Amino acid sequence: MSKILIIGACGQIGTELVLTLREKFGNQSVIAADVRDTCPEIVANGPYQKMDILDREAVRGFIIEEKIDQVYLLAALLSATAEKNPAFAWELNMEGLFTILDLAKEGHLKRIFWPSSIAVFGPATPKVLTPQKTIMEPSTVYGISKLAGENWCAYYHSKYGVDVRSIRYPGLISYKSLPGGGTTDYAVDIFYKAKEGKEFTCFLSENTALPMMFMDDAIRATLELMEVEESKVKVRTAYNIAGCSFTPKELSDEIQKVIPGFKINYSPDYRQAIADSWPDSIDDSVAKKDWGWSSKVDLPQLVAIMLQNVTIPV
Ligand code: NAD
Ligand code: SER
């Protein structure tokens, strides 16, 4: 039985990933860790460790002492926050990855999951159905750190046999936890305003198409990739996966089918340039071929699930 550590467990993905892994492997086998003092949803049903991924020796000590054999490393600054503090974003997004890769290289870890992003692509990348292998040239510090991280993962795999696996997540849409400073966050925020009966001001322009995905699909993809036999994992940078792509206008039109009075207006800010540098849609045929990936939730389903489940904080 594996002993699993999730670092960055209190964020948008971590909150749901911890709960799913605990359901599958048992509460005591899945340790959640984050720089935050606590996160109630996660502490309620299993072990929690306050941990700063930048404290290399403390992280090493904990993983070796606790005999952890799998790590999901989620701690990072996302695209919008990273543009405001590029030097720190580079440090946080890269240093932690080296700490974990080195532990695997030394034989302390059997398997690592480290997420990449559609942000690895840039303005010169083909925008529609962006292929697995293509021109990259990201223009954000976040994208640069993710592309460098992907290449380091491939390097540690080919040089040292480290079993590190990665996915280029699209923008993730969830109702159990809030997003943490990305360019795709509007597509979560919009549901809170719609549910409150309020107008929504979007920080992207109406026709900005971006690849998105419902969180359940993303969590399922993560577990499927982590469980597939090693020989099937042919891409050791990161896999493209696709959910549904849409613009703010298409999303608000879909919401208006359920809430006819819902209004949206547009006030693009610095995040528009980030979104403009990313693909409109993703070709995930390589993930489909290698490990049988397939998304389940389309835009109408995503809107229905979100409107049904988003709860307004009191
Ligand atoms: P998030 O911002 O919601 O969560 C990140 C978590 O990391 C937070 O709980 C934060 O407290 C924690 N953290 C920050 N600094 C830390 C440190 N020094 N030590 C330990 N923990 C620290 O992010 P997320 O959306 O859950 O994303 C997780 C990963 O997935 C990131 O690598 C992100 O780049 C990637 N990703 C996310 C999306 C998305 O749409 N959410 C898309 C593509 C890729
Ligand atoms: N959702 C993420 C962001 O916008 C994509 O990696 O930063």
Side-chain angles (χ1 to χ4, degrees):
M1 175 66 90
S2 270
K3 199 158 179 198
I4 301 171
L5 177 67
I6 300 167
I7 306 173
C10 303
Q12 189 193 12
I13 299 173
T15 305
E16 299 208 27
L17 185 63
V18 169
L19 298 177
T20 308
L21 286 171
R22 282 183 180 164
E23 254 172 45
K24 201 171 166 64
F25 297 107
N27 291 354
Q28 296 310 313
S29 302
V30 180
I31 303 176
D34 199 287
V35 75
R36 298 187 206 179
D37 287 331
T38 185
C39 30
E41 305 92 329
I42 286 172
V43 170
N45 75 350
Y48 180 77
Q49 174 70 29
K50 185 173 175 182
M51 177 184 288
D52 181 352
I53 187 63
L54 293 176
D55 187 343
R56 185 176 163 94
E57 287 316 310
V59 174
R60 284 182 60 83
F62 184 83
I63 286 174
I64 293 168
E65 210 162 291
E66 290 291 324
K67 299 189 168 47
I68 303 291
D69 59 14
Q70 281 194 29
V71 168
Y72 292 72
L73 175 55
L74 306 178
L77 280 199
L78 275 75
S79 59
T81 321
E83 284 310 291
K84 296 197 162 161
N85 195 346
F88 179 66
W90 177 256
E91 184 186 353
L92 178 62
N93 295 5
M94 300 309 300
E95 292 302 319
L97 178 59
F98 283 119
T99 299
I100 300 303
L101 287 172
D102 284 339
L103 279 158
K105 174 184 161 188
E106 292 162 23
H108 297 293
L109 296 170
K110 286 202 191 98
R111 193 164 291 173
I112 300 168
F113 180 81
W114 172 84
S116 185
S117 161
I118 52 162
V120 292
F121 300 114
T125 303
K127 274 198 167 309
V128 176
L129 290 177
T130 300
Q132 175 70 42
K133 262 185 188 287
T134 184
I135 302 168
M136 312 293 276
E137 300 178 7
S139 56
T140 62
V141 65
Y142 176 68
I144 294 168
S145 71
K146 289 296 183 186
L147 184 56
E150 282 191 10
N151 284 313
W152 277 111
C153 288
Y155 183 89
Y156 270 68
H157 176 259
S158 74
K159 293 278 170 187
Y160 311 122
V162 168
D163 186 4
V164 52
R165 305 177 180 201
S166 180
I167 283 173
R168 293 172 182 151
Y169 289 133
L172 300 181
I173 318 289
S174 61
Y175 61 85
K176 292 184 189 158
S177 46
L178 290 168
T183 303
T184 55
D185 292 12
Y186 91 84
V188 176
D189 301 342
I190 192 170
F191 289 101
Y192 287 84
K193 292 290 182 201
K195 201 79 187 263
E196 280 182 286
K198 292 189 176 156
E199 188 167 331
F200 178 67
T201 301
C202 185
F203 58 72
L204 299 182
S205 65
E206 63 182 327
N207 294 319
T208 308
L210 285 172
M212 302 279 189
M213 178 175 283
F214 185 55
M215 185 63 85
D216 285 13
D217 268 348
I219 300 288
R220 186 170 51 80
T222 308
L223 266 60
E224 283 175 8
L225 177 61
M226 284 297 274
E227 282 167 10
V228 77
E229 66 188 72
E230 213 170 333
S231 63
K232 292 201 168 158
V233 186
K234 305 244 166 45
V235 174
R236 289 295 179 163
T237 49
Y239 277 99
N240 278 8
I241 59 168
C244 47
S245 288
F246 52 78
T247 65
K249 167 95 173 61
E250 286 162 348
L251 178 57
S252 69
D253 286 351
E254 204 58 46
I255 292 173
Q256 279 162 358
K257 289 182 191 166
V258 185
I259 305 176
F262 175 66
K263 285 202 174 63
I264 183 166
N265 60 66
Y266 302 93
S267 179
D269 64 16
Y270 70 100
R271 288 168 280 195
Q272 184 66 46
I274 302 176
D276 287 341
S277 75
W278 290 354
D280 292 358
S281 60
I282 296 290
D283 172 2
D284 59 359
S285 50
V286 177
K288 284 181 166 144
K289 179 168 67 64
D290 286 1
W291 44 280
W293 157 250
S294 174
S295 82
K296 288 189 176 155
V297 181
D298 63 13
L299 178 58
Q301 288 167 322
L302 182 152
V303 168
I305 297 168
M306 287 298 286
L307 288 176
Q308 210 167 19
N309 290 288
V310 155
T311 49
I312 309 303
V314 279

